[in-house]
Amino acid sequence: MSENATAESSSEESHFAWYLRGVRRCFSIPGLVLVSAFIGFAGLAREAGLTLPQTVFMTGVVWALPAQVVLVGAVLAGNSLIAAAFAVALSSVRLAPMVVALTPEMRTPGTRKWVLYVLSHFVAITSWVLAMESFRHVPRHLRTAYYTGIGSTLVLVNMGVVATVFLLAESLPVQVTAALFFLTPIYFLTSLWGSARERAGHVAMILGLASGPVFHIVLPGFDLLAAGGVAGGAAYIWHRSRVRREMGK
Amino acid sequence: MSFDAFDAWWWPYLFILLAGWLATDSWRYLGVYLGGKMSEESDILVFVRCVATALVAAVIANLIVFPSGALADSPLVLRVGAAIAGVAAYLLARKQILAGIVVAETVLLTGLYLIG
């Protein structure tokens, strides 16, 4: 009995200890970069006319910066709910394969399903990279606790960051506001390049950058979907022809 | 039914839930469900990643070329130049995102204050 209790309390302790290690893992360069990106996002949302509670709410429930930027873009363009949801869904497809890659690393035979579903909400580029880097140093049955630490900390800290920027933005000089606004595109220019899994990702990115402004003028309202389909499709065709060429050799 | 379609306080939140939360977490839940069934190398995922990457890239380019708010008054050349400088710094610093951000912001702020 007493032995059991000791074992239980020490296991609980180690769960908490690994949760705290997850929390600490966020205070790192990737965490800092993410904060700067959310500073930029808060500036963007504020310029788009969203309120503080709406933006904090969006950060908590969506928790994927590309999706949030697309959603704010759709709000700015006055898109309908369906068009906005479609564009956001397209920009978030990447989350499914990321979760597919992460989940097996956290799962043990005893892991409850709902825990994995709840934790999947935290999956976004930064938390995913941090977890994939660190998991091999974490005992398998404590990885859910560790990831809870990473995910919940990143979400809560950045909800706070968004609120703070909203409160401070009015007193900032216009140059600083402009610089905050510029953080979002520059963060994605670099992180998107770095996260590409194959060369086709780089091709898709360059074509997407070039075609975005073109479709913005030619096909306003459908610019994002058109750019995604045309530039992404072209990159995929490039990928197929390259694979075929390599197979032919 | 756009974001501003109704005057009710709850409409923007419902809009965010449906167009934001539902449209993202569906993919996450699908990912948990599929678990290890799908290979990250499978060809359909290459296509999906290409489209998703191009879509986000288009958003970025539009934020730089057609900004709103405080950035709208700055010259296009300065914004594009700052972005290119940031990417160059990022690549030179062996893919350190922080280096890219610092250089791009320095170029932009220097330009903005010089223009006054």
Side-chain angles (χ1 to χ4, degrees):
Chain A
M1 170 81 199
S2 70
E3 247 174 50
N4 250 344
T6 325
E8 199 132 285
S9 87
S10 91
S11 142
E12 238 165 58
E13 206 171 61
S14 65
H15 269 94
F16 188 62
W18 279 100
Y19 165 83
L20 285 183
R21 278 181 199 147
V23 171
R24 237 179 299 147
R25 187 72 182 82
C26 297
F27 296 87
S28 53
I29 294 285
L32 183 70
V33 170
L34 186 67
V35 164
S36 77
F38 267 96
I39 292 175
F41 169 75
L44 178 78
R46 198 175 162 277
E47 296 286 1
L50 272 76
T51 64
L52 187 159
Q54 286 165 4
T55 311
V56 172
F57 178 72
M58 186 192 290
T59 301
V61 299
V62 178
W63 188 241
L65 209 39
Q68 289 175 230
V69 172
V70 170
L71 184 54
V72 170
V75 168
L76 265 176
N79 285 1
S80 72
L81 177 63
I82 304 290
F86 200 61
V88 170
L90 261 181
S91 75
S92 317
V93 181
R94 56 172 56 233
L95 293 172
M98 286 165 75
V99 175
V100 168
L102 190 70
T103 307
E105 306 223 357
M106 292 195 287
R107 197 175 41 206
T108 65
T111 310
R112 272 156 296 183
K113 272 260 164 60
W114 67 264
V115 173
L116 294 172
Y117 277 99
V118 169
L119 285 182
S120 77
H121 179 68
F122 294 139
V123 173
I125 295 168
T126 303
S127 75
W128 188 81
V129 169
L130 287 178
M132 294 296 264
E133 268 174 13
S134 329
F135 266 0
R136 58 206 154 88
H137 307 298
V138 183
R140 181 169 275 275
H141 70 288
L142 294 168
R143 286 178 184 172
T144 46
Y146 185 72
Y147 193 63
T148 306
I150 293 183
S152 61
T153 306
L154 288 178
V155 173
L156 290 175
V157 164
N158 284 297
M159 285 169 81
V161 165
V162 165
T164 310
V165 172
F166 256 82
L167 294 175
L168 292 181
E170 258 169 85
S171 53
L172 294 174
V174 66
Q175 286 91 345
V176 176
T177 320
L180 288 183
F181 203 77
F182 202 61
L183 277 172
T184 304
I186 197 66
Y187 172 73
F188 278 117
L189 266 180
T190 49
S191 70
L192 199 59
W193 187 268
S195 72
R197 307 304 295 290
E198 54 262 315
R199 282 224 79 91
H202 290 152
V203 175
M205 185 177 154
I206 291 167
L207 294 178
L209 283 172
S211 62
V214 174
F215 282 115
H216 186 81
I217 294 168
V218 182
L219 271 178
F222 291 96
D223 48 348
L224 298 183
L225 299 182
V230 171
Y236 178 71
I237 291 168
W238 178 87
H239 171 80
R240 292 296 310 163
S241 74
R242 210 174 85 119
V243 169
R244 217 167 299 138
R245 230 178 307 133
E246 267 169 25
M247 301 252 274
K249 268 177 202 165
Chain B
M1 286 208 296
S2 69
F3 192 72
D4 309 312
F6 302 109
D7 225 3
W9 69 267
W10 48 264
W11 171 247
Y13 293 94
L14 188 63
F15 191 96
I16 291 169
L17 272 183
L18 294 176
W21 170 76
L22 193 65
T24 46
D25 265 7
S26 304
W27 293 115
R28 291 182 173 116
Y29 298 157
L30 181 71
V32 177
Y33 175 75
L34 292 176
K37 287 180 198 163
M38 206 194 262
S39 157
E40 273 236 271
E41 309 306 319
S42 92
D43 221 44
I44 183 80
L45 281 182
V46 176
F47 175 68
V48 161
R49 278 200 293 264
C50 281
V51 173
T53 304
L55 200 145
V56 176
V59 175
I60 298 167
N62 286 346
L63 286 177
I64 295 172
V65 178
F66 307 106
S68 55
L71 261 182
D73 301 329
S74 61
L76 175 65
V77 180
L78 176 61
R79 298 193 301 264
V80 174
I84 290 173
V87 171
Y90 161 78
L91 292 175
L92 285 176
R94 278 187 269 144
K95 301 198 175 173
Q96 291 290 320
I97 295 178
L98 204 58
I101 291 179
V102 169
V103 168
E105 290 289 356
T106 308
V107 172
L108 182 80
L109 277 171
T110 310
L112 288 177
Y113 276 104
L114 283 180
I115 296 164

